[in-house]
Amino acid sequence: MKKISIYLVVLLVTSAFFFSCKTDKKPAADDKTTAEATKSDEVTITDAEMKQASQIFFDKCAGCHGSSRKGATGPSLLPDGNGKDPATKSLGAAGIRAFIENGTPGGMPEWKGILSDSEIELMTRFLRVDPPPIPKFGMEEMKKTWNLIVPVADRPKKPEHNRNINNYFGVIMRDAGKVAIIDGDTKEKLAVLKTGFAVHILRTSASGRYIYSVGRDGRITMIDTYTKVPTIVAEVRGAFDSRSVEVSKYKGYEDKYLVFGGYSPSHIAIMDAQTLEPLSITPTAGNACDGDKEFIEEARVASIVASHTDPVWICNVKERGMVDIVDYTDPVHPKIEEIPAARFLHDGGWDYTGRYFLVAANASNKIVVVDVPNKKLVKIIETGIKPHPGRGTNIKNKLGHLWVTSHLGENKLSFIKTDKGPGQWTVVKEAKASGDGGGALFVKSHPKSKHLWVDRPLNPDAKLNSSVDVFNTETLEIEKTLHAPEGVDGRAVHFEYNQKGDEVWVSYFMGEHSAIVIYDDKTLKVKKIIQGDWVENPTGKFNVYNTTHDIY
Ligand code: DHE
C-alpha cells in the first residue's frame, strides 16, 4: 500500500511539472483531448504535444541544455536566444532538424534513428516556443515522497548469507529503470530491483552495506545487501531531475548522512542515510564564479564526492562554476564554503592520495584541482575539448602518479601529474585512442593493474563506439583494441574492476544484444558474458569495495 502511494505521488508531481505549460487557449483541431494550444509566431503546438515534447526534452536533452533550456554543456535553446547562442526561432524548423538529426562535432549525439521522424518534427516546434515553468519542490513536497519501507529496527543485524558483499556489483539497467545486484565472485544475478526512471549512478554507504541509486526522475532508492536477496528498504524523491548522490564517509559519520544533488530544482539536499528522511535543502542559485553579475537560477548540482579526511562533501555547482565544500557535522544547517572555479563543472574524482579533487569544467575545456582539507583552489588546467573523466582514474609509471581524463569533444587522453615536485598539476603526456574523433566518456584503471581502459560511446562511428582501447600504463600506448564479442552489440560504455582488481566489467548498451562483458585484466580475454532478458541497456557498474573506498 505504502509502495503504491509513493509511485502515485511521484507520477503526480512529474505530471504537474512536465505537463504544465502556458497556453494561449487556442483551439487545436488535431488534439482531441484538449482544446488548448500554444502558439508562437507561426508555431502551433497542442497541449498533448507539449506534454510529449517536454518528456522527450527531459529524457534526452535537458542534461546538456538545462531544464529551463538556458544552456549548459550544450547551447541555450530559447526562442529569442540569450545574447550568445542563436534564437531557435531564427534557426527555423530546418536548422533545428539538422542539429537533431546529425548531432555536432562538439559532442551532441545524432538523434536520427533514436527519435522517430514525427518526434523530431515535434521537437522542431517545441524548441521554438517558451519552455514550461518549473514548479516548486521544497521540503514539504520532498517529505511527501519519502517512503521508509523497512524500518531500521526490522532490518537484519548481520548478513543473512555467506556471500562476499565487498565484491557485489550494482549494475544500472538504464532504460528499464532497474538496478541489478550481481555477486562478483559467482557472477550470479541476486536481484533486479525497480528503482525509478533512467537510473544514473550508484554509490555505496561507508560500511558497504547499502547501495543507493539516483535517477533522472530525482528518485533515490536504498538497497540493503544484508538480506538474503538484496532488498529496497527506503525511497525518496529529492527533485524532479538529478544525477548525483553520495554518503558521509568520514570517521564517526559512516552510514549517517546522505547528500543529493538536484538538477531541477537546483539544490543540495541532505537525508538520513539509514532511512532517507529529508533533513535539509540548500538552494544553489547565485552568481557565477567569474564575477558575472547575472544571477543563475538553474545552478545544477553535478558530481559529488565524499572526503575521507574531513566531514565534508564536495558538491559541484555546474552553471555557476562553484565548488561547494559542504560541512555535514550539522546536517540541518550545513556550513557551505564556495570556491570559485570555472564553468561548467561536471564530473570528477580524487587523486590517489584522496586529498585533491579534480573536476572537469567542460565548457571551458579545463580541469579544476581543489585541495580539500585546506579548502583551496590549487590550479585550473587547460586539457582539451570537453574533458569527460567520469571520476577519472589514477595510474603510476616513470612519470609519477598521474590522474587521467578522456575528452568528449576530441580524441585525447590527458595525463596530469599529481605528485609533488616539477610538473605537478600539469599535463605531462597526451595520447590518442584509435581512429578519429571524440566521444569518450570514461577511463578506468586499478592500483594492481598495468592497464588503462578507455571507451568511446558517443563517437558516431559504430566501429569505434562499440570497441574499447586498452592502454599499457607504462608506455601509455594502446596494447589492444577490444571489439564487441560475438552475440553482443551496441555501444561499449563505462568500466568497473572487481574487488581484487583482476577483472574489468564493460557494458554494451543501445544495441540489439545488450550485455555485461567481463574481461580478464591480465590476458584481456573474455571471461564471461552476462546476457538475458533482464540485461536491458546496462550502463554504470559499481563494485561495492571500490565504490566505498574510491578506488579508481
Ligand atoms: Fe552521466 C556520471 C551527468 C549522460 C552515464 N553523469 C555523471 C555525473 C554527472 C552526470 C553530473 C557525475 C555524478 C557524480 O559523480 O556524482 N550524464 C550527465 C548529464 O547531464 C548527461 C551529459 C546528459 C543527461 O541527460 O543525463 C549525462 N551519463 C550520460 C549518458 O548518456 C550515460 C552514458 C548513460 C546514461 O545514464 O544515460 C551516462 N554518468 C553515467 C555514469 C556515471 C555518470 C555511468 C558514473 C560514472 C562513475 O564511474 O562514477
Side-chain angles (χ1 to χ4, degrees):
M1 197 60 196
K2 245 184 165 180
K3 199 154 190 170
I4 292 170
S5 67
I6 193 168
Y7 290 139
L8 275 178
V9 172
V10 164
L11 196 70
L12 287 171
V13 179
T14 315
S15 311
F17 169 31
F18 291 105
F19 302 162
S20 67
C21 44
K22 238 170 125 204
T23 68
D24 63 1
K25 314 281 179 200
K26 176 105 171 71
D30 58 342
D31 186 350
K32 300 268 191 317
T33 55
T34 170
E36 297 175 351
T38 298
K39 197 170 179 206
S40 159
D41 295 337
E42 79 287 4
V43 183
T44 303
I45 183 162
T46 67
D47 278 3
E49 288 174 326
M50 194 75 179
K51 284 178 197 173
Q52 190 194 347
S54 296
Q55 193 64 56
I56 294 171
F57 185 82
F58 167 66
D59 294 353
K60 310 258 187 306
C61 324
C64 293
H65 298 280
S67 303
S68 57
R69 296 188 0 213
K70 286 186 179 160
T73 321
S76 81
L77 295 172
L78 296 170
D80 298 312
N82 64 350
K84 188 164 68 75
D85 301 316
T88 51
K89 271 197 309 209
S90 70
L91 285 175
I96 296 173
R97 175 180 280 273
F99 279 115
I100 297 175
E101 287 191 341
N102 305 317
T104 66
M108 170 160 158
E110 68 287 2
W111 293 102
K112 196 175 177 166
I114 299 173
L115 292 176
S116 69
D117 195 66
S118 61
E119 285 173 329
I120 293 176
E121 190 282 325
L122 171 60
M123 296 312 282
T124 66
R125 284 182 287 133
F126 173 74
L127 294 176
R128 283 180 291 149
V129 298
D130 287 328
I134 299 167
K136 179 174 174 277
F137 190 89
M139 187 52 92
E140 197 188 323
E141 289 78 10
M142 199 181 288
K143 281 206 163 154
K144 280 188 196 151
T145 70
W146 176 42
N147 186 13
L148 180 59
I149 299 161
V150 184
V152 179
D154 298 345
R155 295 179 201 163
K157 303 280 172 281
K158 53 184 183 25
E160 293 176 333
H161 53 78
N162 294 320
R163 294 178 187 273
N164 171 20
I165 291 171
N166 274 322
N167 202 28
Y168 276 16
F169 282 71
V171 182
I172 293 170
M173 305 295 161
R174 187 193 64 177
D175 297 355
K178 292 179 185 160
V179 169
I181 309 296
I182 301 174
D183 181 333
D185 289 348
T186 63
K187 317 288 185 275
E188 283 166 273
K189 166 195 64 164
L190 302 179
V192 182
L193 302 164
K194 195 110 190 81
T195 47
F197 171 73
V199 185
H200 209 76
I201 68 160
L202 308 181
R203 294 291 184 248
T204 52
S205 64
S207 68
R209 171 177 182 164
Y210 296 109
I211 298 173
Y212 303 90
S213 75
V214 71
R216 283 195 180 86
D217 55 2
R219 192 160 125 196
I220 308 165
T221 304
M222 179 178 181
I223 300 165
D224 188 0
T225 61
Y226 273 15
T227 43
K228 205 164 173 52
V229 173
T231 321
I232 296 177
V233 290
E235 297 168 323
V236 70
R237 194 169 198 210
F240 297 118
D241 187 8
S242 64
R243 299 290 182 282
S244 50
V245 71
E246 195 36 297
V247 292
S248 51
K249 290 188 175 174
Y250 185 59
K251 210 163 169 279
Y253 292 89
E254 295 94 336
D255 294 17
K256 257 193 134 134
Y257 304 124
L258 174 141
V259 62
F260 164 93
Y263 254 28
S264 178
S266 300
H267 58 217
I268 293 166
I270 301 180
M271 282 101 181
D272 180 320
Q274 293 287 326
T275 62
L276 296 186
E277 180 181 5
L279 300 175
S280 68
I281 297 177
T282 309
T284 45
N287 293 89
C289 57
D290 45 20
D292 191 327
K293 292 275 180 307
E294 186 202 356
F295 186 82
I296 301 174
E297 198 63 55
E298 188 172 15
R300 298 179 291 174
V301 181
S303 51
I304 303 180
V305 291
S307 169
H308 295 263
T309 62
D310 295 88
V312 298
W313 293 300
I314 295 85
C315 298
N316 296 281
V317 184
K318 187 190 270 287
E319 283 79 3
R320 292 178 56 218
M322 292 285 191
V323 178
D324 282 8
I325 309 234
V326 181
D327 181 329
Y328 52 69
T329 50
D330 179 358
V332 180
H333 306 101
K335 220 169 72 207
I336 301 183
E337 278 189 47
E338 297 213 300
I339 302 178
R343 300 202 227 187
F344 293 117
L345 298 177
H346 191 71
D347 47 351
W350 294 104
D351 81 317
Y352 81 104
T353 65
R355 167 175 173 178
Y356 299 99
F357 172 66
L358 295 96
V359 59
N362 55 21
S364 355
N365 304 328
K366 292 182 175 106
I367 294 289
V368 171
V369 186
V370 176
D371 174 348
V372 172
N374 292 310
K375 302 186 175 127
K376 265 189 21 210
L377 177 72
V378 173
K379 187 94 189 269
I380 298 182
I381 309 160
E382 185 101 28
T383 60
I385 306 170
K386 294 206 173 118
H388 194 290
R391 282 170 288 169
T393 195
N394 291 287
I395 62 167
K396 184 174 182 255
N397 61 22
K398 56 187 178 300
L399 297 169
H401 282 99
L402 310 174
W403 183 88
V404 191
T405 183
S406 48
H407 292 82
L408 194 50
E410 66 177 308
N411 182 358
K412 189 194 273 185
L413 290 173
S414 298
F415 297 85
I416 296 172
K417 188 170 151 87
T418 62
D419 286 329
K420 266 207 180 100
Q424 191 186 25
W425 310 128
T426 63
V427 176
V428 289
K429 171 91 185 158
E430 288 176 346
K432 271 184 186 301
S434 47
D436 294 321
L441 290 181
F442 301 108
V443 287
K444 189 78 84 189
S445 189
H446 186 278
K448 291 197 184 132
S449 172
K450 287 282 160 227
H451 288 135
L452 163 69
W453 296 66
V454 185
D455 67 9
R456 303 283 277 292
L458 294 189
N459 191 293
D461 182 342
K463 220 169 116 204
L464 296 181
N465 67 39
S466 62
S467 56
V468 297
D469 286 320
V470 186
F471 285 74
N472 181 303
T473 54
E474 283 298 333
T475 61
L476 300 184
E477 278 169 13
I478 297 174
E479 195 170 301
K480 200 166 181 185
T481 299
L482 300 167
H483 301 284
E486 219 182 301
V488 174
D489 60 23
R491 299 182 184 217
V493 70
H494 196 251
F495 311 101
E496 180 63 304
Y497 275 83
N498 60 343
Q499 184 189 0
K500 272 197 200 153
D502 59 8
E503 272 173 9
V504 178
W505 294 36
V506 184
S507 302
Y508 277 85
F509 80 139
M510 289 173 72
E512 297 281 305
H513 305 96
S514 296
I516 304 154
V517 180
I518 305 174
Y519 290 93
D520 182 313
D521 183 54
K522 237 193 200 113
T523 62
L524 305 183
K525 294 222 161 73
V526 174
K527 252 178 116 168
K528 172 132 188 126
I529 299 176
I530 302 181
Q531 279 178 310
D533 289 354
W534 57 278
V535 184
E536 295 175 71
N537 277 329
T539 52
K541 302 154 297 299
F542 302 86
N543 172 273
V544 168
Y545 187 83
N546 295 337
T547 310
T548 300
H549 298 275
D550 286 284
I551 295 173
Y552 41 80

